Coordinates of all heavy atoms in Angstrom, one line a residue:
V83 N 107.7 123.6 85.1 CA 106.9 123.5 83.8 C 105.4 123.6 84.1 O 104.7 124.3 83.4 CB 107.2 122.2 83.1 CG1 106.5 122.1 81.8 CG2 108.7 122.1 82.9
F84 N 104.9 122.8 85.1 CA 103.5 122.7 85.3 C 103.0 123.3 86.6 O 101.8 123.3 86.9 CB 103.1 121.2 85.2 CG 103.3 120.5 84.0 CD1 103.9 119.3 83.9 CD2 102.9 121.1 82.7 CE1 104.2 118.6 82.7 CE2 103.2 120.5 81.5 CZ 103.8 119.2 81.5
G85 N 103.9 123.7 87.5 CA 103.5 124.1 88.8 C 103.6 122.9 89.8 O 103.9 121.8 89.3
P86 N 103.3 123.1 91.1 CA 103.4 122.1 92.1 C 102.6 120.9 91.8 O 101.5 121.0 91.3 CB 102.9 122.7 93.4 CG 103.0 124.2 93.1 CD 102.8 124.4 91.6
A87 N 103.1 119.7 92.1 CA 102.4 118.4 91.8 C 101.3 118.3 92.8 O 101.5 118.4 94.0 CB 103.3 117.3 91.9
W88 N 100.1 117.9 92.3 CA 99.0 117.4 93.2 C 99.2 116.0 93.6 O 99.0 115.7 94.8 CB 97.6 117.5 92.4 CG 96.6 116.8 93.2 CD1 96.1 115.5 92.8 CD2 95.9 117.1 94.3 NE1 95.1 115.1 93.7 CE2 95.0 116.1 94.7 CE3 96.0 118.2 95.2 CZ2 94.2 116.1 95.8 CZ3 95.1 118.3 96.3 CH2 94.3 117.2 96.6
A89 N 99.7 115.2 92.7 CA 99.9 113.8 93.0 C 101.4 113.4 92.6 O 101.9 113.9 91.6 CB 98.9 112.9 92.2
V90 N 101.9 112.5 93.4 CA 103.3 112.0 93.1 C 103.2 110.4 93.3 O 102.8 109.9 94.3 CB 104.3 112.5 94.1 CG1 105.7 111.9 93.9 CG2 104.4 114.1 94.0
F91 N 103.5 109.8 92.2 CA 103.4 108.3 92.1 C 104.8 107.7 92.0 O 105.4 107.8 91.0 CB 102.5 107.9 90.9 CG 102.3 106.4 90.7 CD1 102.4 105.5 91.8 CD2 102.1 105.9 89.5 CE1 102.2 104.1 91.6 CE2 101.9 104.5 89.3 CZ 101.9 103.6 90.4
A92 N 105.3 107.1 93.2 CA 106.6 106.5 93.2 C 106.4 105.1 92.7 O 105.9 104.2 93.4 CB 107.1 106.5 94.6
N93 N 106.7 104.9 91.4 CA 106.4 103.7 90.7 C 107.6 102.9 90.3 O 107.6 101.7 90.1 CB 105.5 104.0 89.6 CG 105.4 102.9 88.6 OD1 104.7 101.8 88.8 ND2 106.0 103.0 87.4
A94 N 108.7 103.6 90.1 CA 110.0 103.0 89.6 C 110.3 101.8 90.5 O 110.3 102.0 91.8 CB 111.1 104.0 89.5
G95 N 110.7 100.7 90.0 CA 111.1 99.6 90.8 C 111.5 98.4 89.9 O 111.4 98.4 88.7
R96 N 112.0 97.4 90.6 CA 112.5 96.2 89.9 C 112.5 95.0 90.8 O 112.3 95.1 92.0 CB 113.8 96.4 89.2 CG 114.9 96.5 90.3 CD 116.3 96.2 89.6 NE 117.4 96.5 90.5 CZ 117.9 95.6 91.4 NH1 117.3 94.3 91.5 NH2 118.9 95.8 92.2
G97 N 112.6 93.8 90.2 CA 112.5 92.6 90.9 C 113.9 92.0 91.1 O 114.9 92.5 90.6
L98 N 114.0 90.8 91.8 CA 115.2 90.0 91.9 C 114.7 88.6 92.1 O 113.8 88.3 92.9 CB 116.0 90.4 93.1 CG 117.3 89.6 93.3 CD1 118.3 90.0 92.2 CD2 117.9 89.9 94.6
D99 N 115.2 87.7 91.2 CA 114.7 86.3 91.1 C 115.8 85.4 91.7 O 116.6 84.9 90.9 CB 114.4 86.1 89.6 CG 113.7 84.8 89.4 OD1 113.6 84.0 90.3 OD2 113.2 84.6 88.3
R100 N 115.8 85.3 93.0 CA 116.9 84.6 93.6 C 116.5 84.1 95.0 O 115.8 84.7 95.7 CB 118.0 85.7 93.8 CG 119.2 85.3 94.6 CD 120.5 85.0 94.0 NE 121.1 86.1 93.2 CZ 121.3 86.1 91.9 NH1 120.9 85.1 91.2 NH2 121.8 87.1 91.3
A101 N 117.0 82.8 95.3 CA 116.7 82.3 96.6 C 117.4 83.1 97.6 O 118.5 83.7 97.5 CB 117.3 80.8 96.6
G102 N 116.7 83.2 98.8 CA 117.2 84.1 99.9 C 118.6 83.8 100.3 O 119.4 84.7 100.4
H103 N 119.0 82.5 100.5 CA 120.3 82.2 101.0 C 121.4 82.4 99.9 O 122.6 82.4 100.3 CB 120.3 80.7 101.5 CG 120.2 79.7 100.4 ND1 119.0 79.3 99.9 CD2 121.1 79.0 99.8 CE1 119.2 78.4 99.0 NE2 120.5 78.2 98.9
T104 N 121.1 82.7 98.7 CA 122.1 83.0 97.7 C 122.1 84.5 97.3 O 122.8 84.9 96.4 CB 121.9 82.1 96.4 OG1 120.6 82.5 95.7 CG2 121.9 80.6 96.6
T105 N 121.2 85.3 98.0 CA 121.2 86.7 97.7 C 122.3 87.4 98.4 O 122.5 87.2 99.7 CB 119.8 87.3 98.2 OG1 118.8 86.6 97.5 CG2 119.7 88.7 97.9
T106 N 123.1 88.1 97.7 CA 124.3 88.8 98.4 C 123.8 90.1 99.1 O 122.7 90.6 98.7 CB 125.3 89.2 97.3 OG1 124.8 90.2 96.4 CG2 125.8 88.0 96.5
E107 N 124.6 90.6 100.0 CA 124.3 91.8 100.7 C 124.2 93.0 99.7 O 123.3 93.8 99.8 CB 125.4 92.2 101.7 CG 125.1 93.4 102.5 CD 126.2 93.8 103.4 OE1 127.0 93.0 103.8 OE2 126.2 95.0 103.8
E108 N 125.1 92.9 98.6 CA 125.0 94.0 97.6 C 123.7 94.0 96.9 O 123.1 95.0 96.6 CB 126.2 93.8 96.7 CG 126.5 95.0 95.8 CD 127.6 94.7 94.8 OE1 128.3 93.7 94.9 OE2 127.7 95.5 93.9
E109 N 123.2 92.8 96.5 CA 122.0 92.6 95.8 C 120.8 93.1 96.6 O 119.9 93.8 96.2 CB 121.7 91.2 95.4 CG 122.6 90.8 94.2 CD 122.4 89.3 94.0 OE1 122.2 88.5 94.9 OE2 122.5 88.9 92.8
L110 N 120.8 92.8 97.9 CA 119.8 93.2 98.8 C 119.8 94.7 99.0 O 118.7 95.3 98.9 CB 120.1 92.5 100.2 CG 118.9 92.3 101.1 CD1 117.7 91.7 100.5 CD2 119.4 91.5 102.4
R111 N 120.9 95.3 99.2 CA 121.0 96.8 99.4 C 120.5 97.5 98.1 O 119.8 98.5 98.1 CB 122.4 97.2 99.7 CG 122.8 96.8 101.1 CD 124.1 97.5 101.5 NE 124.6 96.9 102.8 CZ 124.1 97.4 104.0 NH1 123.3 98.4 104.0 NH2 124.5 96.9 105.1
S112 N 120.9 96.9 96.9 CA 120.6 97.5 95.6 C 119.1 97.5 95.4 O 118.5 98.5 94.9 CB 121.4 96.7 94.6 OG 120.9 97.1 93.3
I113 N 118.4 96.4 95.7 CA 117.0 96.4 95.5 C 116.2 97.3 96.4 O 115.2 97.9 96.1 CB 116.4 94.9 95.4 CG1 115.0 94.9 94.8 CG2 116.4 94.3 96.8 CD1 114.5 93.6 94.4
F114 N 116.7 97.4 97.6 CA 116.1 98.3 98.6 C 116.3 99.7 98.2 O 115.5 100.6 98.5 CB 116.6 98.1 100.0 CG 115.7 97.1 100.8 CD1 115.7 95.7 100.6 CD2 114.8 97.6 101.7 CE1 114.8 94.9 101.2 CE2 113.9 96.7 102.4 CZ 114.0 95.4 102.2
E115 N 117.4 100.0 97.6 CA 117.7 101.4 97.1 C 116.6 101.9 96.2 O 116.1 103.0 96.4 CB 119.1 101.5 96.4 CG 120.3 101.6 97.3 CD 120.4 102.8 98.1 OE1 119.7 103.8 97.9 OE2 121.1 102.7 99.2
V116 N 116.3 101.1 95.2 CA 115.3 101.5 94.2 C 113.8 101.4 94.7 O 113.0 102.3 94.6 CB 115.5 100.9 92.8 CG1 115.4 99.4 92.8 CG2 114.5 101.5 91.8
N117 N 113.5 100.2 95.3 CA 112.1 100.0 95.7 C 111.7 100.7 97.0 O 110.6 101.1 97.1 CB 111.9 98.5 95.8 CG 112.0 97.7 94.5 OD1 112.1 98.3 93.5 ND2 111.9 96.4 94.6
F118 N 112.7 100.7 97.9 CA 112.3 101.3 99.2 C 112.8 102.8 99.4 O 112.0 103.7 99.5 CB 112.7 100.5 100.4 CG 112.4 101.0 101.7 CD1 111.1 101.1 102.1 CD2 113.4 101.6 102.5 CE1 110.7 101.7 103.4 CE2 113.1 102.2 103.8 CZ 111.8 102.2 104.2
F119 N 114.1 102.9 99.4 CA 114.7 104.3 99.7 C 114.3 105.3 98.7 O 113.9 106.4 99.1 CB 116.2 104.2 99.9 CG 116.6 103.5 101.1 CD1 117.1 102.2 101.0 CD2 116.4 104.0 102.4 CE1 117.5 101.5 102.2 CE2 116.8 103.3 103.5 CZ 117.3 102.1 103.4
A120 N 114.4 105.0 97.4 CA 114.0 106.0 96.4 C 112.5 106.4 96.5 O 112.2 107.6 96.4 CB 114.2 105.4 95.0
T121 N 111.6 105.4 96.8 CA 110.2 105.8 97.0 C 110.1 106.8 98.1 O 109.4 107.8 98.0 CB 109.4 104.5 97.4 OG1 109.4 103.6 96.2 CG2 108.0 104.8 97.8
H122 N 110.7 106.5 99.3 CA 110.4 107.3 100.4 C 111.2 108.6 100.4 O 110.7 109.6 101.0 CB 110.6 106.5 101.7 CG 109.4 105.5 101.7 ND1 108.1 105.9 101.8 CD2 109.4 104.2 101.4 CE1 107.4 104.8 101.6 NE2 108.1 103.8 101.4
I123 N 112.3 108.7 99.7 CA 113.0 110.0 99.5 C 112.1 110.9 98.7 O 111.9 112.0 99.1 CB 114.4 109.8 98.9 CG1 115.3 109.1 99.9 CG2 115.0 111.1 98.4 CD1 116.6 108.6 99.2
L124 N 111.5 110.3 97.7 CA 110.6 111.1 96.8 C 109.3 111.5 97.6 O 108.9 112.7 97.6 CB 110.3 110.3 95.5 CG 109.3 111.0 94.6 CD1 110.0 112.3 94.0 CD2 108.9 110.1 93.5
L125 N 108.7 110.5 98.2 CA 107.4 110.8 98.8 C 107.6 111.8 100.1 O 106.7 112.6 100.3 CB 106.7 109.5 99.2 CG 106.2 108.6 98.1 CD1 105.4 107.5 98.5 CD2 105.5 109.4 97.0

Side-chain angles (χ1 to χ4, degrees):
V83 182
F84 298 133
W88 163 258
V90 176
F91 180 26
N93 165 72
R96 68 161 174 85
L98 182 71
D99 192 347
R100 169 110 57 246
H103 68 278
T104 63
T105 303
T106 65
E107 181 183 340
E108 193 184 347
E109 285 173 327
L110 202 52
R111 288 187 187 279
S112 166
I113 195 168
F114 266 76
E115 280 297 339
V116 60
N117 290 356
F118 178 69
F119 289 106
T121 292
H122 293 293
I123 290 167
L124 178 65
L125 295 188

